[in-house]
Amino acid sequence: MTSAVNGRSLELYFIDGRPDGMLTAEVFNWTGHVLVTPRTRLKEALARQEAKYTGVYILLGERDEVPLAYIGEAEDLASRIKNHETGDKDWWTSAILVTSAANNLHKAHAKYLESRLVEEAKKVGTMPLNNGNTPPRPSLSEAARANMEAFLDYLFMVLPAVRIDMFVQKVRPTGAVSAEAFEPSSGRTEVGSAEAIPFYLESAKHKLRADAFLIDGEFVVQAGSMAQGKEDVVSGIGSYTNLIRDLVSTGVLQRQGEHYVFSQSYAFRSPSAAGAVVLGYNVNGTTAWKTASGQTYKEWEATELRS
């Protein structure tokens, strides 16, 4: 039995009328306000009223072909970001400004949010930070801390919706699903209150096998699964190359002989993404992954849609 989920309504406003331009994001009944801007529109973005408010900001870009982020806070975001624009942080290409619609965040609030954002980004570990040490949390009353944590709950929901996923934890508890769930007789199993559908991928050529579960819409490859380890193969699969490198650098994928092995269970956005990481090349995950009874993911999905 699945638990009830409270829906949220997110309002995105594309200021330029273009999906790659400036946009704002707000949620009904949330005081927060998010402004996303490419660096090429920085002048227009910083001229907006909310850019002069107190809040936190995230700079995103690459340095030496490696993704990089910086998290900061300021009482006047526009002034602070202008300093970065002319300073030593010339690697960033986009900025996210987080304020409150009524400008009722003060300096201690912003410092608390900055500290927590750095903590969470380091905990997730998928995006290297240009920050030094994690800034200390300021002294806030118990009520103020609770308010800021509630503010962050909304923010962590909004940011992935605007394609900022550096705070999304993809690692899942190891051993959450028993190995017996892969037996043909089981078909399905329960993980907490969620139903889990088992799949596997085998390659005789590469002498590997990976096991996964579809849980709450996520395709979770299980700890102990194997992945292709030949660097010349892995380096040629476009955007998945960086994902594999991230998984290696964070220790999710660990070298064991000629293969990588998942040290922790990891949630992918799709069976194809999971299949590309496992096999080391782009693959149609809907036909590569199979159920214990031999159905492909595509065949299983068609059966589900007919039922």
Side-chain angles (χ1 to χ4, degrees):
M1 179 178 178
T2 57
S3 57
V5 176
N6 294 321
R8 298 285 193 276
S9 178
L10 173 66
E11 180 180 275
L12 298 180
Y13 175 60
F14 295 90
I15 299 168
D16 309 319
R18 296 170 21 219
D20 58 346
M22 289 189 293
L23 68 85
T24 62
E26 296 178 298
V27 177
F28 178 75
N29 211 30
W30 179 49
T31 61
H33 181 276
V34 176
L35 171 64
V36 181
T37 181
R39 189 165 180 170
T40 54
R41 300 305 305 273
L42 189 63
K43 179 179 179 180
E44 294 87 345
L46 298 187
R48 295 176 64 85
Q49 183 62 39
E50 63 266 32
K52 301 174 178 61
Y53 290 172
T54 298
V56 291
Y57 62 95
I58 305 168
L59 305 179
L60 295 172
E62 290 185 352
R63 187 167 62 189
D64 299 327
E65 298 184 356
V66 176
L68 192 62
Y70 179 83
I71 299 170
E73 57 79 25
E75 290 181 282
D76 183 334
L77 291 176
S79 294
R80 178 63 57 83
I81 292 175
K82 285 177 182 177
N83 291 336
H84 288 316
E85 197 275 332
T86 57
D88 60 350
K89 292 181 173 57
D90 59 356
W91 47 264
W92 61 276
T93 56
S94 61
I96 299 90
L97 284 64
V98 182
T99 58
S100 67
N103 194 24
N104 53 12
L105 295 176
H106 57 62
K107 183 71 170 178
H109 291 150
K111 283 187 169 294
Y112 185 91
L113 294 174
E114 175 196 36
S115 177
R116 289 286 289 112
L117 288 173
V118 172
E119 287 176 8
E120 290 299 313
K122 288 185 174 182
K123 183 189 300 182
V124 172
T126 58
M127 176 67 77
L129 294 182
N130 193 224
N131 298 71
N133 296 327
T134 302
R137 299 185 193 183
S139 178
L140 290 177
S141 68
E142 184 177 6
R145 288 197 305 273
N147 287 338
M148 290 302 96
E149 289 298 326
F151 188 96
L152 285 166
D153 285 343
Y154 277 96
L155 182 60
F156 289 144
M157 178 185 66
V158 171
L159 290 177
V162 294
R163 294 175 293 190
I164 311 299
D165 58 3
M166 58 186 285
F167 303 103
V168 178
Q169 181 59 267
K170 293 295 185 180
V171 171
R172 296 293 180 263
T174 300
V177 183
S178 66
E180 287 75 15
F182 291 105
E183 295 302 319
S185 60
S186 63
R188 300 167 186 249
T189 189
E190 294 286 324
V191 179
S193 61
E195 187 178 50
I197 314 299
F199 292 90
Y200 74 93
L201 188 159
E202 281 187 325
S203 171
K205 177 181 178 181
H206 302 301
K207 300 177 182 178
L208 62 81
R209 171 176 170 131
D211 295 306
F213 280 89
L214 181 63
I215 308 173
D216 272 346
E218 293 183 323
F219 202 79
V220 184
V221 175
Q222 296 296 288
S225 296
M226 303 168 70
Q228 169 78 281
K230 293 183 179 179
E231 296 299 333
D232 59 333
V233 175
V234 170
S235 62
I237 54 173
S239 60
Y240 294 129
T241 300
N242 289 333
L243 175 56
I244 292 172
R245 288 172 179 167
D246 289 343
L247 294 177
V248 171
S249 67
T250 56
V252 174
L253 285 178
Q254 296 184 357
R255 171 71 66 177
Q256 287 190 16
E258 62 181 13
H259 296 104
Y260 288 122
V261 173
F262 283 79
S263 65
Q264 303 172 79
S265 299
Y266 190 85
F268 290 88
R269 292 182 176 178
S270 68
S272 292
V277 170
V278 167
L279 294 175
Y281 52 82
N282 289 309
V283 63
N284 183 347
T286 65
T287 56
W289 292 93
K290 296 181 179 180
T291 66
S293 62
Q295 278 187 314
T296 66
Y297 182 98
K298 183 176 182 178
E299 291 168 341
W300 168 84
E301 184 180 53
T303 300
E304 288 292 300
L305 292 174
R306 287 194 301 267
S307 63

